[in-house]
Amino acid sequence: MSTEKKPLRCPMGVPGGIIAALAGLAGIIISAMNSEWLSLALSVGLFMVALPFVRVTMMVHSANDRLDALEKKAGTK
């Protein structure tokens, strides 16, 4: 069995961000139908934060994979 790390295909923040975006979208629809303004504001906030969270997580994981490749190429690991 190899001890070499393989690059992640799906960073762990992506499923969480997608679930948060879907929950925010569902909250927006339900809050708008029931005229609950505080819940609507919170749902919009959740929706607006979820998608950048996915992007940042993907950037961090891709940078980590590139750093591992550079370390392997340099022979430090």
Side-chain angles (χ1 to χ4, degrees):
M1 183 155 206
S2 176
T3 59
E4 182 179 326
K5 282 181 20 180
K6 293 183 180 178
L8 292 174
R9 293 283 180 206
C10 179
M12 294 307 294
V14 174
I18 292 172
I19 291 171
L22 291 175
L25 187 60
I28 290 169
I29 293 169
I30 292 170
S31 298
M33 288 175 33
N34 294 330
S35 298
E36 295 178 7
W37 303 114
L38 181 61
S39 297
L40 179 65
L42 293 174
S43 296
V44 168
L46 177 63
F47 185 74
M48 298 299 270
V49 166
L51 298 177
F53 178 73
V54 171
R55 176 72 178 143
V56 167
T57 305
M58 289 178 65
M59 286 189 324
V60 167
H61 281 285
S62 65
N64 195 16
D65 290 340
R66 282 185 273 159
L67 182 62
D68 288 342
L70 286 173
E71 286 177 347
K72 183 179 177 183
K73 187 176 180 180
T76 59
K77 225 175 184 181

